[in-house]
Structures are given as C-alpha cells and as structure tokens.
Amino acid sequence: MMVASRYGVRLAARFGDGVVAAGPAGIVGGLVLMSFATASTPYPLYVLFLLVLSLGMGPCVPVLPVAVTTSLPQDRAGLGPGLNGATRETGGALGVAVTGTSLSSHGPEVFSAAMSFGFRVVAGIVPAVSLVTLVW
C-alpha cells in the first residue's frame, strides 16, 4: 500500500479520475479474494490476497484527501482534511465494532463463514460508494 500510495497523486494528476476508480476496483478484487481465505489457506496465497487489496487502497489514500481539499472554497480548505479524517476514523471504528459484535454473538465455529460473508458484503458496498464519490 505504501508503494501504491506514493504514486497515487501523480497518477491521478496524469490520468484523472480513472486512478481513483481503479483503486476501488482493486479493493473489491482483494475483498473477494479474501472472502475465499480459510484457516487452511497457505500464507503465500493469503499474502497475494492482501497485496491485491493493498494495491487497490494505495491510490485512494493520498488522492481522496487532495480531491476533497481542492474541491472546497479556499476559506473552507481546512474543513476537507478534517472531514475526511473523521469519516475514515468513524468508518474504521464502526467496522471493528460491528464485526466484533457480530462474530462474538455467533461463536468461533462460524468465524470463517462470517468473515467470508462480511468481505463479500463490503465488496458489494465499495463500488456503490465509489460511484457516489466519483460523481460527487
């Protein structure tokens, strides 16, 4: 993710919104791959799944805050990074809380099935949110 993040802003400046759209496509691909991981998945394959996910996240991480900040009037430019950070932190906290609550209520025997389902649900949500982001 660090390697892809390093070049995200430059790629977006050169190729436009397609870079931001390609990022979520990689995220969806990584999430779908992760949904097939089980306790018996070999570590090299698991690393490949995470690599696809990370390469998808990489271009989005630096590009979205820049896009948010530059789309605001100059007198409100400071609002963009704050809102972006608050949204990211809220999403992360909610994700952990909902996942933890859901998994603890079903017990360890369904952990793998629940995680697979969760990855697939998020893989379905990412394209919709990405489309809203690109249009907005």
Side-chain angles (χ1 to χ4, degrees):
M1 187 169 120
M2 290 184 333
V3 172
S5 292
R6 181 176 179 165
Y7 299 103
V9 174
R10 282 188 245 166
L11 289 171
R14 184 170 180 187
F15 298 108
D17 290 340
V19 171
V20 178
I27 294 170
V28 169
L31 289 168
V32 169
L33 290 171
M34 290 292 293
S35 75
F36 291 106
T38 65
S40 62
T41 301
Y43 283 124
L45 192 56
Y46 188 71
V47 168
L48 177 66
F49 297 169
L50 289 174
L51 183 65
V52 171
L53 181 63
S54 296
L55 288 174
M57 291 173 68
C60 298
V61 172
V63 173
L64 290 175
V66 170
V68 168
T69 303
T70 58
S71 68
L72 293 170
Q74 190 173 9
D75 63 325
R76 294 186 177 223
L79 181 65
L83 183 58
N84 185 64
T87 303
R88 185 182 65 242
E89 294 298 328
T90 302
L94 283 173
V96 169
V98 169
T99 301
T101 301
S102 175
L103 292 176
S104 68
S105 67
H106 290 92
E109 63 278 353
V110 296
F111 180 81
S112 184
M115 288 302 292
S116 294
F117 177 73
F119 284 132
R120 290 180 184 137
V121 168
V122 175
I125 293 170
V126 168
V129 172
S130 300
L131 182 62
V132 169
T133 303
L134 284 171
V135 170
W136 198 350

